[in-house]
Amino acid sequence: MLDIKYIRDNPDLVRRATENKNESTDIDKIIELDQKRRTVIVEVEQLKALKNKVSEQIAVKKKNKDDASDDIAQMKEVGEKISDLDNNLRSIKEALDYHLLRVPNKPDDDVPVGPDEASNVTVKEWGKVETPAFEPLPHWDLGEKLDIIDLAAGSKITGSGFYILKGAGARLQRALISFMLDKHALDGFVEIATPVLAGTAAMTGTGQLPKLGDDMYFLKDDGLYLIPTGEVPVTNLHSGEILSEDQLPKYYMAATNCFRREAGAAGKDTRGLLRVHQFDKVELVKIVHPEKSDEEHESLLAQAEKIAQALNIPYRVKLLATGDLSFAAAKCYDIEIWSAGVAKFLEVSSVSNFRDFQARRMNTRFRDKKNKVHFVHTLNGSGLALPRLIAAVLENYQTDYGTIKIPEVLLPYMGGITEISKK
């Protein structure tokens, strides 16, 4: 969340930033509640100081065997008033926290202002998009012909938006995950195996709640959510902790199942593997010193780009505009890889810098060399997300005779399979 002092000192700026993100929140109410809270705190502190002073006087009177009954009666009234004010303070804080949790992060100054994805800016292109000499098939046709994707079975077992990978298709997914984890490990990312269920506190800590509650699968009887991304459990590893400055930065990675209801996805391209409810993803998370935040963001982007480059898949990087930026992010790059069969770029990674927004919600801090405590900065990005990556590999590596060549970097993971063909 944003620092209440920052909101108090910059209400117009926060209002404008909130509007630019297409969000709505009551900044006036926050300022009003904050003022009430501070007024009550002062009153409580004054009464507690009075109570301490008079309590000392009562002790002296009792020691001297003087009558202290009036003072005792007075302090009883003061104690009751302090109790009432403490209860009032708790109510005010609950109301203030309710509104603060609904204030989005402020976009960085270099984020383009615009209402939606049409305002995103392409900042980099890599590789050459070439037109095949034959008519390339989309991955859903390839998957059916080669018997490696079964959309009908996924729908039969669970419902629409779920799929089955079979044989070499399942092996390809496993190969991609292993390759990505090995690649990132070489650059110092520590692998984490996490639960795929998370509690309300963890989901709130990274900003999925309350904003995105409708898009999550919730187990009501247990009070647990199926995670929408590995970001949730990995970033929360250090919630409530004070790290030492020497422990920063921390680099983590995790391969997890992810679950999203895709609420509000009506009208979007949902065919094949392009928009599904359960998918696998390799997530990269950084917990860093605030002074290193910008350079760590750029290096995290480069880290995710390495995968597309190693697979020799053309891609572009877009800097998201304010209206397309997530609730919790201050700045985000999207990596979109080219997929020949559908003839479009597919987003496979969002690389985000959250500044101290998540850290404040999780209460994750570090102690510097001067013994002062500060909030860390958190960053994450997919490195990369499946199954769109699978779709792009299938479509870009298909041959004119209907097979799929295995990218060279994946050969060590494919158990001798060099080409996927129909049995």
Side-chain angles (χ1 to χ4, degrees):
M1 63 179 67
L2 294 182
D3 184 358
I4 183 61
K5 184 178 184 304
Y6 181 84
I7 297 175
R8 186 191 309 143
D9 294 342
N10 304 277
D12 292 337
L13 193 154
V14 175
R15 283 191 193 92
R16 185 164 60 252
T18 300
E19 291 168 0
N20 287 340
K21 272 196 163 186
N22 298 325
E23 300 284 351
S24 177
T25 191
D26 195 340
I27 302 300
D28 290 336
K29 187 65 175 179
I30 289 172
I31 293 172
E32 175 191 335
L33 289 167
D34 176 53
Q35 182 59 52
K36 284 183 178 179
R37 182 183 64 89
R38 289 187 293 148
T39 299
V40 173
I41 287 173
V42 170
E43 189 174 357
V44 168
E45 288 177 347
Q46 288 174 344
L47 287 173
K48 286 181 177 179
L50 173 63
K51 186 177 180 181
N52 290 337
K53 180 180 178 181
V54 176
S55 293
E56 291 176 359
Q57 294 172 354
I58 291 172
V60 172
K61 285 184 177 181
K62 285 184 175 181
K63 185 177 180 181
N64 296 332
K65 301 188 184 303
D66 293 333
D67 182 13
S69 56
D70 290 343
D71 292 329
I72 292 172
Q74 179 190 3
M75 286 307 98
K76 183 180 179 181
E77 292 179 5
V78 169
E80 290 172 351
K81 189 169 185 180
I82 289 173
S83 179
D84 290 341
L85 288 172
D86 282 339
N87 290 333
N88 188 25
L89 190 59
R90 278 191 291 271
S91 297
I92 293 171
K93 186 179 185 305
E94 287 176 3
L96 181 58
D97 287 345
Y98 174 90
H99 288 283
L100 285 175
L101 287 172
R102 286 157 176 78
V103 179
N105 200 0
K106 174 188 170 296
D108 284 354
D109 292 339
D110 61 345
V111 170
V113 176
D116 52 37
E117 61 185 17
S119 302
N120 296 344
V121 177
T122 300
V123 296
K124 182 177 183 178
E125 295 178 294
W126 186 92
K128 185 179 180 182
V129 175
E130 298 180 347
T131 303
F134 59 95
E135 186 69 29
L137 295 175
H139 64 276
W140 52 84
D141 285 342
L142 287 166
E144 183 180 1
K145 289 177 181 294
L146 297 172
D147 196 28
I148 58 175
I149 301 175
D150 194 336
L151 298 171
S155 181
K156 177 178 67 176
I157 295 167
T158 312
S160 62
F162 294 87
Y163 63 96
I164 299 291
L165 295 177
K166 301 167 62 178
R171 183 68 183 249
L172 177 62
Q173 173 168 277
R174 182 154 53 94
L176 283 164
I177 292 171
S178 296
F179 164 67
M180 289 188 283
L181 290 173
D182 287 351
K183 186 80 169 173
H184 298 314
L186 293 174
D187 293 303
F189 285 82
V190 177
E191 185 174 356
I192 304 293
T194 77
V196 294
L197 292 170
T200 300
M203 295 285 283
T204 302
T206 44
Q208 276 70 31
L209 293 179
K211 167 68 177 176
L212 301 173
D214 290 343
D215 204 29
M216 308 303 157
Y217 287 100
F218 180 57
L219 283 66
K220 185 177 180 181
D221 290 345
D222 304 285
L224 296 173
Y225 292 83
L226 290 168
I227 62 170
T229 165
E231 164 197 351
V232 176
V234 178
T235 310
N236 273 281
L237 279 173
H238 297 289
S239 62
E241 295 182 16
I242 299 178
L243 305 171
S244 70
E245 190 170 12
D246 293 337
Q247 290 178 282
L248 300 178
K250 285 188 174 292
Y251 294 177
Y252 294 121
M253 61 180 176
T256 67
N257 298 126
C258 304
F259 305 86
R260 298 179 189 176
R261 294 182 61 242
E262 292 292 353
K268 296 183 180 179
D269 194 346
T270 58
R271 195 165 183 189
L273 307 183
L274 298 185
R275 191 173 295 276
V276 292
H277 296 305
Q278 177 183 335
F279 58 97
D280 287 83
K281 182 155 67 93
V282 172
E283 189 74 5
L284 304 175
V285 170
K286 288 184 173 184
I287 298 173
V288 307
H289 193 292
E291 293 178 0
K292 301 289 185 179
S293 189
D294 289 319
E295 64 184 80
E296 291 284 9
H297 192 197
E298 297 300 321
S299 70
L300 186 58
L301 172 63
Q303 189 68 36
E305 288 181 76
K306 287 180 181 181
I307 303 301
Q309 292 173 5
L311 292 168
N312 197 31
I313 299 177
Y315 67 88
R316 65 190 183 190
V317 176
K318 288 199 168 185
L319 175 60
L320 299 196
T322 54
D324 201 29
L325 203 57
S326 75
F327 177 86
K331 184 176 181 179
C332 179
Y333 295 108
D334 270 4
I335 298 176
E336 301 175 343
I337 58 176
W338 177 253
S339 204
V342 294
K344 63 173 62 174
F345 284 95
L346 305 176
E347 182 217 319
V348 292
S349 180
S350 292
V351 183
S352 302
N353 190 339
F354 302 96
R355 303 297 179 184
D356 63 1
F357 188 83
Q358 291 180 326
R360 287 181 181 277
R361 296 166 80 104
M362 297 184 302
N363 197 28
T364 304
R365 297 169 291 169
F366 74 96
R367 194 180 304 276
D368 67 17
K369 305 296 185 186
K370 297 180 180 178
N371 210 35
K372 292 184 178 180
V373 176
H374 312 269
F375 287 102
V376 300
H377 278 197
T378 60
L379 307 94
N380 71 48
S382 302
L384 299 169
L386 301 101
R388 290 178 186 170
L389 181 58
I390 292 175
V393 169
L394 295 179
E395 294 182 10
N396 292 343
Y397 279 87
Q398 64 182 294
T399 67
D400 57 356
Y401 46 92
T403 66
I404 310 293
K405 289 186 176 181
I406 300 300
E408 184 177 350
V409 293
L410 298 182
L411 290 175
Y413 302 92
M414 287 297 293
I417 300 173
T418 60
E419 191 171 48
I420 301 175
S421 58
K422 191 172 183 178
K423 294 180 181 179

